[in-house]
Amino acid sequence: MANPSSGKQSWSDRKRFTRIIPMLAVMYLLALICRNNIGYAFGGMNESFNLSATITGLVGGIFFIGYLLLQIPGGHFAQKVSAKKIITICMIAWGLVSISMGLIQSGNQLLIMRFLLGVSQSMLYPTALILIGKWFPQSERARAIGYWSIGATASSFIVGPLSGFLVDMFSWKMMFVIQGIPVLIGVFFWIWLVAEKPSEAKFLSDAEKKYLEEEFAKDALAQQGSGQDNWKLALKDKFVWILTLVFLLNNMFNYGLSIWWPTIAKSFTGSSYTIVGMLSTLAPLIALLVMFIVSNHSDKTGERKWHAASILLASGLALLVSALTGASPFISVAFILLAQGIWGGFSAVFWSIPSIIISSAAIGAATGLINGIGNLGGFVGPYLFGYLIDSTGSTKVGLFFIVGVQLLAGILLATLRNPKLKAAQLEIQQKNKDRMKNEGVSK
């Protein structure tokens, strides 16, 4: 029998892609629907509780204050205890909170529940990344994260049309209730279908287990940790803070734009929330194409930094065109959708960078730190966008603001210098050459 690591694996020996990734994608899809539906409730919230644009932005962004709280311990516990159990607890908690948001009676209660929704999802992202790290070696990781991110892209197809329809057909409160129920149902499938690591998975073949053992052993040799198990290592690493700042600025752009998208599009086009939701599906169509091309090309070449930085710069420039063409509403909306679509290819490549340049001993805490503090951009972006609406009476200044932070994020990432990035690039290129050579021999 041929050595499974010597050539390209058949899909029968890659069940980690067809079992683990789909479940992670569905889980994350449900999380993002419950997180990002808030923009479609803005109109009803304002009518029910008489909220200003600044407070409305605060409602949209306060999620990320709660989201910060358990990021670092989430990454640590996922690595040392059980990523599967942590995600199970998160799903139960955010499902219950989402349903409870349909019962609120005041603006203060709305703020509290959005905060608790953030807390309930705060361990989710770093835990999912740690789980992917347990199942996918470095040479496959960008693709794995990219395929997982399809859940995020798919949520963009669903959250807009579904949320818009539910608000128009029922009410903004019923939207929260109806979208929270599938999360609690999904918990049972998660527990049944997902294993913590390959050694515990009965559905893996011996060939796939052997392949993973060999690949993880190679990765361990290439990435020697300090031997310490201390979150302080992450706090002392300057590259952790550079990546955190990049992610913070990027999320100011992403959430400032996405949470206020229904309001912007509705005011520009005069359409119903259902039509606005349908328009929103154009962005993920672009994102799927960008994600597929960028993540596969990044894995083929082994290059990570410039792939991610180029996406930041391109999405910022697309939104700049939108801000400059505000007198032509449909052109402006088209470039907003283009900016969101280009942005969709960012996460898959960006999240392959930390595991390259940060020591294995610090990666769990570092992932939580980058994602946790970085996601505070999800608070700052929507809040300042709302404040600028109140201050200027229009959305134009807000658009220029988030254009600036996105371009700054791209420039900052482009200037990052770390020799491990080049070394990892050359190693992956050599692995790809060896595989192609072995495939040629086997044929």
Side-chain angles (χ1 to χ4, degrees), residues 25 28-29 32 145-159 280-292 340-341 343-345:
Y28 199 50
L29 179 152
L32 290 178
I145 297 173
Y147 297 150
W148 168 47
S149 298
I150 289 175
T153 305
S155 74
S156 300
F157 285 106
I158 297 171
V159 68
S280 71
T281 62
L282 297 175
L285 286 174
I286 302 170
L288 281 174
L289 179 62
V290 173
M291 186 188 305
F292 177 80
Q340 291 177 316
W343 177 87

mmCIF file of all heavy atoms in Angstrom, residues 25 28-29 32 145-159 280-292 340-341 343-345:
data_model
loop_
_atom_site.group_PDB
_atom_site.id
_atom_site.type_symbol
_atom_site.label_atom_id
_atom_site.label_comp_id
_atom_site.label_asym_id
_atom_site.label_seq_id
_atom_site.Cartn_x
_atom_site.Cartn_y
_atom_site.Cartn_z
ATOM 1 N N ALA A 25 -19.033 24.703 9.624
ATOM 2 C CA ALA A 25 -19.616 25.732 8.770
ATOM 3 C C ALA A 25 -21.067 26.017 9.153
ATOM 4 O O ALA A 25 -21.490 27.176 9.228
ATOM 5 C CB ALA A 25 -19.519 25.322 7.303
ATOM 6 N N TYR A 28 -21.178 27.864 12.504
ATOM 7 C CA TYR A 28 -20.798 29.273 12.391
ATOM 8 C C TYR A 28 -21.854 30.066 11.617
ATOM 9 O O TYR A 28 -22.087 31.242 11.897
ATOM 10 C CB TYR A 28 -19.430 29.378 11.712
ATOM 11 C CG TYR A 28 -18.754 30.692 11.954
ATOM 12 C CD1 TYR A 28 -18.638 31.206 13.241
ATOM 13 C CD2 TYR A 28 -18.207 31.430 10.901
ATOM 14 C CE1 TYR A 28 -18.009 32.413 13.472
ATOM 15 C CE2 TYR A 28 -17.578 32.637 11.130
ATOM 16 C CZ TYR A 28 -17.486 33.120 12.414
ATOM 17 O OH TYR A 28 -16.864 34.323 12.634
ATOM 18 N N LEU A 29 -22.497 29.428 10.649
ATOM 19 C CA LEU A 29 -23.588 30.066 9.924
ATOM 20 C C LEU A 29 -24.692 30.491 10.885
ATOM 21 O O LEU A 29 -25.181 31.623 10.849
ATOM 22 C CB LEU A 29 -24.136 29.103 8.866
ATOM 23 C CG LEU A 29 -25.308 29.565 7.991
ATOM 24 C CD1 LEU A 29 -25.251 28.862 6.643
ATOM 25 C CD2 LEU A 29 -26.658 29.277 8.636
ATOM 26 N N LEU A 32 -23.593 33.493 13.045
ATOM 27 C CA LEU A 32 -23.561 34.779 12.350
ATOM 28 C C LEU A 32 -24.959 35.295 12.023
ATOM 29 O O LEU A 32 -25.182 36.504 11.991
ATOM 30 C CB LEU A 32 -22.713 34.667 11.082
ATOM 31 C CG LEU A 32 -21.214 34.496 11.328
ATOM 32 C CD1 LEU A 32 -20.473 34.345 10.015
ATOM 33 C CD2 LEU A 32 -20.647 35.680 12.097
ATOM 34 N N ILE A 145 -9.732 26.502 6.637
ATOM 35 C CA ILE A 145 -10.364 27.717 7.163
ATOM 36 C C ILE A 145 -11.233 28.350 6.090
ATOM 37 O O ILE A 145 -12.315 28.870 6.371
ATOM 38 C CB ILE A 145 -9.298 28.709 7.666
ATOM 39 C CG1 ILE A 145 -8.511 28.095 8.831
ATOM 40 C CG2 ILE A 145 -9.950 30.012 8.112
ATOM 41 C CD1 ILE A 145 -7.335 28.935 9.287
ATOM 42 N N GLY A 146 -10.764 28.295 4.842
ATOM 43 C CA GLY A 146 -11.548 28.852 3.750
ATOM 44 C C GLY A 146 -12.862 28.121 3.552
ATOM 45 O O GLY A 146 -13.918 28.739 3.415
ATOM 46 N N TYR A 147 -12.819 26.777 3.580
ATOM 47 C CA TYR A 147 -14.047 25.998 3.435
ATOM 48 C C TYR A 147 -14.965 26.212 4.634
ATOM 49 O O TYR A 147 -16.185 26.275 4.487
ATOM 50 C CB TYR A 147 -13.722 24.512 3.272
ATOM 51 C CG TYR A 147 -12.925 24.176 2.035
ATOM 52 C CD1 TYR A 147 -12.050 23.096 2.004
ATOM 53 C CD2 TYR A 147 -13.046 24.952 0.892
ATOM 54 C CE1 TYR A 147 -11.312 22.788 0.866
ATOM 55 C CE2 TYR A 147 -12.310 24.649 -0.247
ATOM 56 C CZ TYR A 147 -11.448 23.573 -0.262
ATOM 57 O OH TYR A 147 -10.720 23.278 -1.389
ATOM 58 N N TRP A 148 -14.370 26.298 5.833
ATOM 59 C CA TRP A 148 -15.164 26.601 7.025
ATOM 60 C C TRP A 148 -15.842 27.965 6.879
ATOM 61 O O TRP A 148 -17.007 28.143 7.232
ATOM 62 C CB TRP A 148 -14.273 26.585 8.262
ATOM 63 C CG TRP A 148 -14.917 27.147 9.495
ATOM 64 C CD1 TRP A 148 -16.173 26.868 9.970
ATOM 65 C CD2 TRP A 148 -14.344 28.072 10.409
ATOM 66 N NE1 TRP A 148 -16.411 27.563 11.124
ATOM 67 C CE2 TRP A 148 -15.298 28.308 11.419
ATOM 68 C CE3 TRP A 148 -13.112 28.709 10.480
ATOM 69 C CZ2 TRP A 148 -15.052 29.172 12.491
ATOM 70 C CZ3 TRP A 148 -12.870 29.560 11.547
ATOM 71 C CH2 TRP A 148 -13.834 29.787 12.537
ATOM 72 N N SER A 149 -15.104 28.922 6.327
ATOM 73 C CA SER A 149 -15.645 30.270 6.171
ATOM 74 C C SER A 149 -16.803 30.331 5.187
ATOM 75 O O SER A 149 -17.494 31.357 5.108
ATOM 76 C CB SER A 149 -14.532 31.229 5.709
ATOM 77 O OG SER A 149 -13.506 31.311 6.676
ATOM 78 N N ILE A 150 -17.012 29.251 4.434
ATOM 79 C CA ILE A 150 -18.192 29.198 3.574
ATOM 80 C C ILE A 150 -19.453 29.355 4.414
ATOM 81 O O ILE A 150 -20.457 29.910 3.969
ATOM 82 C CB ILE A 150 -18.217 27.887 2.767
ATOM 83 C CG1 ILE A 150 -17.109 27.919 1.702
ATOM 84 C CG2 ILE A 150 -19.577 27.666 2.101
ATOM 85 C CD1 ILE A 150 -16.962 26.635 0.918
ATOM 86 N N GLY A 151 -19.390 28.880 5.672
ATOM 87 C CA GLY A 151 -20.517 29.081 6.573
ATOM 88 C C GLY A 151 -20.799 30.555 6.794
ATOM 89 O O GLY A 151 -21.957 30.985 6.831
ATOM 90 N N ALA A 152 -19.724 31.336 6.933
ATOM 91 C CA ALA A 152 -19.893 32.776 7.091
ATOM 92 C C ALA A 152 -20.462 33.398 5.831
ATOM 93 O O ALA A 152 -21.349 34.268 5.875
ATOM 94 C CB ALA A 152 -18.544 33.419 7.435
ATOM 95 N N THR A 153 -19.956 32.945 4.675
ATOM 96 C CA THR A 153 -20.463 33.468 3.411
ATOM 97 C C THR A 153 -21.911 33.058 3.192
ATOM 98 O O THR A 153 -22.749 33.863 2.765
ATOM 99 C CB THR A 153 -19.596 32.963 2.248
ATOM 100 O OG1 THR A 153 -18.227 33.314 2.497
ATOM 101 C CG2 THR A 153 -20.035 33.583 0.939
ATOM 102 N N ALA A 154 -22.225 31.805 3.507
ATOM 103 C CA ALA A 154 -23.602 31.332 3.342
ATOM 104 C C ALA A 154 -24.562 32.096 4.235
ATOM 105 O O ALA A 154 -25.719 32.337 3.858
ATOM 106 C CB ALA A 154 -23.678 29.835 3.640
ATOM 107 N N SER A 155 -24.097 32.496 5.417
ATOM 108 C CA SER A 155 -24.967 33.264 6.310
ATOM 109 C C SER A 155 -25.369 34.579 5.665
ATOM 110 O O SER A 155 -26.468 35.091 5.910
ATOM 111 C CB SER A 155 -24.267 33.528 7.648
ATOM 112 O OG SER A 155 -23.260 34.523 7.537
ATOM 113 N N SER A 156 -24.499 35.122 4.808
ATOM 114 C CA SER A 156 -24.825 36.361 4.118
ATOM 115 C C SER A 156 -25.925 36.158 3.087
ATOM 116 O O SER A 156 -26.695 37.076 2.806
ATOM 117 C CB SER A 156 -23.571 36.924 3.429
ATOM 118 O OG SER A 156 -22.551 37.183 4.372
ATOM 119 N N PHE A 157 -26.003 34.945 2.521
ATOM 120 C CA PHE A 157 -27.105 34.631 1.612
ATOM 121 C C PHE A 157 -28.420 34.518 2.376
ATOM 122 O O PHE A 157 -29.487 34.814 1.844
ATOM 123 C CB PHE A 157 -26.854 33.303 0.884
ATOM 124 C CG PHE A 157 -25.833 33.379 -0.209
ATOM 125 C CD1 PHE A 157 -24.576 32.834 -0.044
ATOM 126 C CD2 PHE A 157 -26.141 33.991 -1.414
ATOM 127 C CE1 PHE A 157 -23.627 32.892 -1.057
ATOM 128 C CE2 PHE A 157 -25.203 34.057 -2.429
ATOM 129 C CZ PHE A 157 -23.953 33.508 -2.253
ATOM 130 N N ILE A 158 -28.330 34.062 3.614
ATOM 131 C CA ILE A 158 -29.528 33.733 4.374
ATOM 132 C C ILE A 158 -30.003 34.873 5.267
ATOM 133 O O ILE A 158 -31.200 35.184 5.322
ATOM 134 C CB ILE A 158 -29.269 32.468 5.224
ATOM 135 C CG1 ILE A 158 -28.975 31.273 4.307
ATOM 136 C CG2 ILE A 158 -30.463 32.163 6.131
ATOM 137 C CD1 ILE A 158 -28.510 30.047 5.048
ATOM 138 N N VAL A 159 -29.071 35.514 5.987
ATOM 139 C CA VAL A 159 -29.484 36.470 7.016
ATOM 140 C C VAL A 159 -30.255 37.644 6.439
ATOM 141 O O VAL A 159 -31.245 38.105 7.028
ATOM 142 C CB VAL A 159 -28.259 36.961 7.832
ATOM 143 C CG1 VAL A 159 -27.324 37.811 6.993
ATOM 144 C CG2 VAL A 159 -28.713 37.739 9.060
ATOM 145 N N SER A 280 -28.629 42.064 -0.609
ATOM 146 C CA SER A 280 -27.442 41.703 0.177
ATOM 147 C C SER A 280 -26.827 40.385 -0.271
ATOM 148 O O SER A 280 -25.664 40.116 0.024
ATOM 149 C CB SER A 280 -27.798 41.627 1.665
ATOM 150 O OG SER A 280 -28.606 40.489 1.939
ATOM 151 N N THR A 281 -27.583 39.549 -0.984
ATOM 152 C CA THR A 281 -27.044 38.253 -1.421
ATOM 153 C C THR A 281 -26.040 38.387 -2.557
ATOM 154 O O THR A 281 -25.339 37.422 -2.876
ATOM 155 C CB THR A 281 -28.182 37.313 -1.864
ATOM 156 O OG1 THR A 281 -28.860 37.883 -2.990
ATOM 157 C CG2 THR A 281 -29.175 37.084 -0.737
ATOM 158 N N LEU A 282 -25.955 39.554 -3.174
ATOM 159 C CA LEU A 282 -24.983 39.732 -4.256
ATOM 160 C C LEU A 282 -23.552 39.735 -3.726
ATOM 161 O O LEU A 282 -22.630 39.251 -4.389
ATOM 162 C CB LEU A 282 -25.273 41.032 -5.014
ATOM 163 C CG LEU A 282 -26.624 41.098 -5.738
ATOM 164 C CD1 LEU A 282 -26.842 42.487 -6.348
ATOM 165 C CD2 LEU A 282 -26.708 40.024 -6.810
ATOM 166 N N ALA A 283 -23.346 40.300 -2.529
ATOM 167 C CA ALA A 283 -21.994 40.356 -1.961
ATOM 168 C C ALA A 283 -21.394 38.975 -1.726
ATOM 169 O O ALA A 283 -20.237 38.732 -2.091
ATOM 170 C CB ALA A 283 -22.001 41.176 -0.667
ATOM 171 N N PRO A 284 -22.117 38.030 -1.105
ATOM 172 C CA PRO A 284 -21.503 36.712 -0.906
ATOM 173 C C PRO A 284 -21.233 35.938 -2.192
ATOM 174 O O PRO A 284 -20.390 35.047 -2.207
ATOM 175 C CB PRO A 284 -22.517 35.978 -0.011
ATOM 176 C CG PRO A 284 -23.780 36.731 -0.139
ATOM 177 C CD PRO A 284 -23.388 38.144 -0.374
ATOM 178 N N LEU A 285 -21.949 36.257 -3.270
ATOM 179 C CA LEU A 285 -21.616 35.631 -4.553
ATOM 180 C C LEU A 285 -20.195 36.011 -4.967
ATOM 181 O O LEU A 285 -19.405 35.166 -5.404
ATOM 182 C CB LEU A 285 -22.612 36.065 -5.631
ATOM 183 C CG LEU A 285 -24.016 35.458 -5.565
ATOM 184 C CD1 LEU A 285 -24.915 36.115 -6.609
ATOM 185 C CD2 LEU A 285 -23.964 33.950 -5.772
ATOM 186 N N ILE A 286 -19.884 37.287 -4.809
ATOM 187 C CA ILE A 286 -18.526 37.751 -5.095
ATOM 188 C C ILE A 286 -17.548 37.144 -4.101
ATOM 189 O O ILE A 286 -16.446 36.706 -4.466
ATOM 190 C CB ILE A 286 -18.460 39.286 -5.040
ATOM 191 C CG1 ILE A 286 -19.441 39.901 -6.045
ATOM 192 C CG2 ILE A 286 -17.041 39.792 -5.308
ATOM 193 C CD1 ILE A 286 -19.627 41.403 -5.888
ATOM 194 N N ALA A 287 -17.958 37.083 -2.826
ATOM 195 C CA ALA A 287 -17.081 36.573 -1.770
ATOM 196 C C ALA A 287 -16.701 35.113 -2.004
ATOM 197 O O ALA A 287 -15.554 34.721 -1.765
ATOM 198 C CB ALA A 287 -17.750 36.736 -0.411
ATOM 199 N N LEU A 288 -17.639 34.310 -2.453
ATOM 200 C CA LEU A 288 -17.329 32.905 -2.719
ATOM 201 C C LEU A 288 -16.241 32.768 -3.772
ATOM 202 O O LEU A 288 -15.320 31.957 -3.631
ATOM 203 C CB LEU A 288 -18.594 32.172 -3.180
ATOM 204 C CG LEU A 288 -19.589 31.743 -2.109
ATOM 205 C CD1 LEU A 288 -20.851 31.172 -2.737
ATOM 206 C CD2 LEU A 288 -18.957 30.720 -1.169
ATOM 207 N N LEU A 289 -16.351 33.556 -4.826
ATOM 208 C CA LEU A 289 -15.350 33.506 -5.885
ATOM 209 C C LEU A 289 -13.989 33.979 -5.369
ATOM 210 O O LEU A 289 -12.964 33.326 -5.602
ATOM 211 C CB LEU A 289 -15.800 34.384 -7.062
ATOM 212 C CG LEU A 289 -14.843 34.469 -8.254
ATOM 213 C CD1 LEU A 289 -14.646 33.089 -8.875
ATOM 214 C CD2 LEU A 289 -15.366 35.456 -9.299
ATOM 215 N N VAL A 290 -13.978 35.106 -4.654
ATOM 216 C CA VAL A 290 -12.727 35.645 -4.111
ATOM 217 C C VAL A 290 -12.102 34.665 -3.129
ATOM 218 O O VAL A 290 -10.902 34.397 -3.159
ATOM 219 C CB VAL A 290 -12.971 37.007 -3.438
ATOM 220 C CG1 VAL A 290 -11.712 37.496 -2.725
ATOM 221 C CG2 VAL A 290 -13.429 38.033 -4.464
ATOM 222 N N MET A 291 -12.929 34.099 -2.246
ATOM 223 C CA MET A 291 -12.433 33.163 -1.245
ATOM 224 C C MET A 291 -11.808 31.935 -1.882
ATOM 225 O O MET A 291 -10.718 31.487 -1.483
ATOM 226 C CB MET A 291 -13.582 32.746 -0.319
ATOM 227 C CG MET A 291 -13.155 31.880 0.856
ATOM 228 S SD MET A 291 -14.585 31.258 1.762
ATOM 229 C CE MET A 291 -15.433 32.779 2.153
ATOM 230 N N PHE A 292 -12.466 31.390 -2.884
ATOM 231 C CA PHE A 292 -11.953 30.192 -3.553
ATOM 232 C C PHE A 292 -10.619 30.477 -4.238
ATOM 233 O O PHE A 292 -9.648 29.735 -4.078
ATOM 234 C CB PHE A 292 -12.974 29.689 -4.574
ATOM 235 C CG PHE A 292 -12.513 28.496 -5.359
ATOM 236 C CD1 PHE A 292 -12.584 27.230 -4.815
ATOM 237 C CD2 PHE A 292 -11.983 28.645 -6.637
ATOM 238 C CE1 PHE A 292 -12.150 26.125 -5.527
ATOM 239 C CE2 PHE A 292 -11.548 27.553 -7.363
ATOM 240 C CZ PHE A 292 -11.636 26.285 -6.804
ATOM 241 N N GLN A 340 -17.947 44.550 0.132
ATOM 242 C CA GLN A 340 -18.250 43.446 1.036
ATOM 243 C C GLN A 340 -17.844 42.109 0.424
ATOM 244 O O GLN A 340 -17.361 41.213 1.138
ATOM 245 C CB GLN A 340 -19.747 43.439 1.360
ATOM 246 C CG GLN A 340 -20.189 44.608 2.230
ATOM 247 C CD GLN A 340 -21.693 44.615 2.468
ATOM 248 O OE1 GLN A 340 -22.474 44.403 1.545
ATOM 249 N NE2 GLN A 340 -22.094 44.855 3.696
ATOM 250 N N GLY A 341 -18.049 41.957 -0.882
ATOM 251 C CA GLY A 341 -17.686 40.716 -1.547
ATOM 252 C C GLY A 341 -16.188 40.472 -1.548
ATOM 253 O O GLY A 341 -15.723 39.369 -1.238
ATOM 254 N N TRP A 343 -14.038 41.653 0.517
ATOM 255 C CA TRP A 343 -13.641 41.396 1.907
ATOM 256 C C TRP A 343 -13.816 39.926 2.293
ATOM 257 O O TRP A 343 -13.086 39.408 3.147
ATOM 258 C CB TRP A 343 -14.467 42.272 2.850
ATOM 259 C CG TRP A 343 -14.175 42.011 4.288
ATOM 260 C CD1 TRP A 343 -13.206 42.583 5.060
ATOM 261 C CD2 TRP A 343 -14.831 41.062 5.135
ATOM 262 N NE1 TRP A 343 -13.218 42.055 6.328
ATOM 263 C CE2 TRP A 343 -14.212 41.122 6.397
ATOM 264 C CE3 TRP A 343 -15.891 40.174 4.942
ATOM 265 C CZ2 TRP A 343 -14.613 40.319 7.463
ATOM 266 C CZ3 TRP A 343 -16.292 39.366 6.004
ATOM 267 C CH2 TRP A 343 -15.657 39.458 7.254
ATOM 268 N N GLY A 344 -14.754 39.223 1.641
ATOM 269 C CA GLY A 344 -15.050 37.849 2.001
ATOM 270 C C GLY A 344 -13.880 36.888 1.875
ATOM 271 O O GLY A 344 -13.900 35.808 2.468
ATOM 272 N N GLY A 345 -12.831 37.242 1.137
ATOM 273 C CA GLY A 345 -11.679 36.358 1.003
ATOM 274 C C GLY A 345 -10.611 36.573 2.049
ATOM 275 O O GLY A 345 -9.577 35.887 2.033
#
